Amino acid sequence: MSSPNGLVCFTNCLLPLEDGSLVERDLWIDERRGVILDSQKTFFLRRERPDRVIDLGGNILSPGFMDIQINGAYGFDFSVYDGDDEVYRAGMRHVAERIIETGVTSLVPTIITQEKSLYPKLLHLLRPFASPTTATLLGWHAEGPFIQMAKRGAHAPQFLVPARERFASFEELYGAQNLVDQEDWLMAEGNDVGVRIVTAAPEIEGVMPSIPELIKRGVVFSIGHSIATTDIATHAVYHGARLITHLFNAMPQLHHRDPSIIGLLGASPSLYPFASTPGSPASPASPASGSWHARQTSLSKRLAQLQIEGPGSPAAAPKATSEAFDDQQTPPQTPILRALASTDDLNLRKGKVEEAFERPFYELIVDGIHSHPNSVRLAYSSYPDGCILITDAMKILDPHLHDGVHEWRDGKRFVKEGDKLYLEGTDTLAGSVVTLDKCVRNFSRFTGCSLGEAIKCATFNPARCLGIENKKGTLRSGADADLVVLDRKGNVLSTWVKGKEVWTKN
């Protein structure tokens, strides 16, 4: 049923705001243009009210969920290409059509470490895609191959590489056409919204100096599959790293002397702030030489040893274990602290915190397996505004799929036990099969936060991280009318794309 004048009013509903609160308020949309409206401006400009009014019975009308790390779903793996472009595109459409039942209206297809010749083709195929009745594929997330061998998880070790030529290595491997400036990349296909994310380990040779150029071209850099120390992780953020890939997994565990990547969530105002003046001794391009380089000596030696011994050596290929547990001893180092002169004033206002830098966003897989509920709550309590819920789902994501052994790729198989997914014959976690709507419900239970605050972590926070918060993940006027109706327990009742209802619960 459509509205004669194109205007639709949702009433008797709760709207999640960008601060995480839920308010009882009407929402107007223009179903013809597929956008959210400012009701007052629309009424005064057009002198008319919506011809169609939908009573939601006190349920929640949320922006559509966004999953910025998903490897596949409903039998299709974004990392598998059999040489037929149309078959691959059909798989993309299949995922986009089916995933709306979980409330997801936008996703970033993720490809894990591949044989290098596949990257240019896969990333070209994964340009933004949308249709009137499906979720939007926003672009691509390349997870690897510039990652740490010791934290590779389910990534194939033979395909891991350093970036010896710095940014040129990224261009050569991903394809220069896939790393052009953001405006050129979007214009090539006539898109107005698109996303590119790269997950890499900043301690890998050539990665750190490549970050500024990636950022300059509109790519979101995420720290992941890494053993970076606190100093290296902090330095990566100063270079422009904006995100942490699946927090707690595939990284050193929290150590009180060197909290490493996890410690970025609680970044102390006393952390040494690299000077912003380019070329200065403490600038990102040239970190404070003395203690900074001294602290990295042992790490550099160990990384060099890994490169010398090669991928087949015991050092380069540690025993495969779950990504959720640390298989490398965390070095007991102390982060660089800012030297505070005795004349410096301290804050006198309660609640006023001087930030050393803008802390990165961080992803959480809230399936109760990848991270303990206590860890989820600890992370959220440290930095709620940076929290992003993801599924990291594999191709067998399907709420209707039975448990058991399922084929994956390259002769490997998954074992599915409820929401747990691991490689057959190992205890290595291999992504997940949890749906994003379930992550939202779990998150509210695990942290004790409100449902509105949990929704924010699957809508506004990821949109803000990707710089598209005016179009996606929000109820702002002018944004896309991608919506999901939830009951008060967080269950999906219906999904709307560009102002049209595309799925409803039977």
Side-chain angles (χ1 to χ4, degrees), residues 35-36 51 64 156 158 166 175 258 286 297 357 385 417 421 436:
V35 297
I36 296 171
D51 283 340
Q158 68 270 27
R166 301 189 173 191
D258 185 353
S286 176
T297 300
F357 63 98
D385 286 342
E417 295 178 357
L421 188 69
L436 196 55

Side-chain angles (χ1 to χ4, degrees), residues 235 238-239 272-289 292:
H235 197 50
Y238 274 104
H239 269 69
Y272 188 92
F274 299 112
S276 58
T277 305
S280 69
S283 71
S286 176
S289 57
W292 193 90

Side-chain angles (χ1 to χ4, degrees), residues 245-282:
T245 296
H246 45 54
L247 186 75
F248 297 120
N249 295 276
M251 62 186 62
Q253 297 308 287
L254 192 67
H255 190 287
H256 60 287
R257 293 197 187 95
D258 185 353
S260 185
I261 300 163
I262 299 171
L264 292 172
L265 272 64
S268 169
S270 63
L271 278 173
Y272 188 92
F274 299 112
S276 58
T277 305
S280 69

Side-chain angles (χ1 to χ4, degrees), residues 265-505:
L265 272 64
S268 169
S270 63
L271 278 173
Y272 188 92
F274 299 112
S276 58
T277 305
S280 69
S283 71
S286 176
S289 57
S291 59
W292 193 90
H293 287 294
R295 293 181 199 281
Q296 307 315 314
T297 300
S298 61
L299 176 60
S300 299
K301 286 182 177 178
R302 187 159 68 82
L303 294 178
Q305 189 66 23
L306 289 178
Q307 295 165 10
I308 292 171
E309 294 180 357
S313 69
K319 178 181 178 292
T321 60
S322 167
E323 289 187 1
F325 295 94
D326 192 12
D327 54 12
Q328 292 291 105
Q329 184 178 1
T330 304
Q333 300 174 342
T334 303
I336 299 173
L337 300 179
R338 176 174 55 190
L340 295 175
S342 59
T343 56
D344 286 353
D345 293 333
L346 298 179
N347 292 332
L348 301 181
R349 290 171 51 192
K350 179 181 177 181
K352 184 176 184 294
V353 178
E354 178 189 352
E355 295 289 354
F357 63 98
E358 184 177 354
R359 290 174 285 180
F361 292 87
Y362 58 95
E363 300 174 343
L364 282 174
I365 308 169
V366 190
D367 56 2
I369 298 162
H370 279 79
S371 299
H372 191 279
N374 289 359
S375 299
V376 172
R377 188 181 188 196
L378 180 66
Y380 183 66
S381 299
S382 298
Y383 185 32
D385 286 342
C387 183
I388 296 173
L389 305 185
I390 62 165
T391 63
D392 197 22
M394 303 304 282
K395 75 173 197 176
I396 63 172
L397 170 69
D398 184 339
H400 317 289
L401 189 68
H402 62 82
D403 288 355
V405 179
H406 301 270
E407 296 296 327
W408 184 27
R409 53 178 294 192
D410 303 327
K412 296 179 181 179
R413 300 200 296 178
F414 295 123
V415 178
K416 177 183 181 297
E417 295 178 357
D419 287 335
K420 184 178 182 181
L421 188 69
Y422 55 92
L423 295 180
E424 186 181 34
T426 76
D427 60 355
T428 299
L429 294 177
S432 80
V433 287
V434 70
T435 58
L436 196 55
D437 59 316
K438 187 170 184 180
C439 286
V440 170
R441 296 191 296 272
N442 285 344
F443 188 76
S444 183
R445 286 193 292 265
F446 291 179
T447 64
C449 74
S450 70
L451 183 53
E453 291 169 311
I455 289 171
K456 177 182 176 181
C457 297
T459 56
F460 185 64
N461 284 356
R464 193 162 59 92
C465 172
L466 302 177
I468 56 175
E469 68 270 26
N470 286 325
K471 296 289 288 185
K472 302 288 185 181
T474 181
L475 298 180
R476 295 177 182 178
S477 62
D480 292 340
D482 296 342
L483 308 166
V484 57
V485 179
L486 308 168
D487 66 21
R488 295 192 176 212
K489 294 183 179 180
N491 298 301
V492 179
L493 301 179
S494 65
T495 306
W496 297 64
V497 171
K498 294 293 184 70
K500 303 287 188 181
E501 187 176 42
V502 294
W503 183 89
T504 184
K505 185 176 182 180

Side-chain angles (χ1 to χ4, degrees), residues 45 116-117 120 147 152 160 173 205 220 226 231 290 304 308 326 328-329 348 356 369 405 416 436 458 488:
L45 287 174
K116 63 180 182 180
S117 65
I147 60 174
R152 69 188 185 277
L160 304 186
L173 193 133
E205 180 184 0
V220 174
S226 166
D231 296 340
I308 292 171
D326 192 12
Q328 292 291 105
Q329 184 178 1
L348 301 181
I369 298 162
V405 179
K416 177 183 181 297
L436 196 55
R488 295 192 176 212

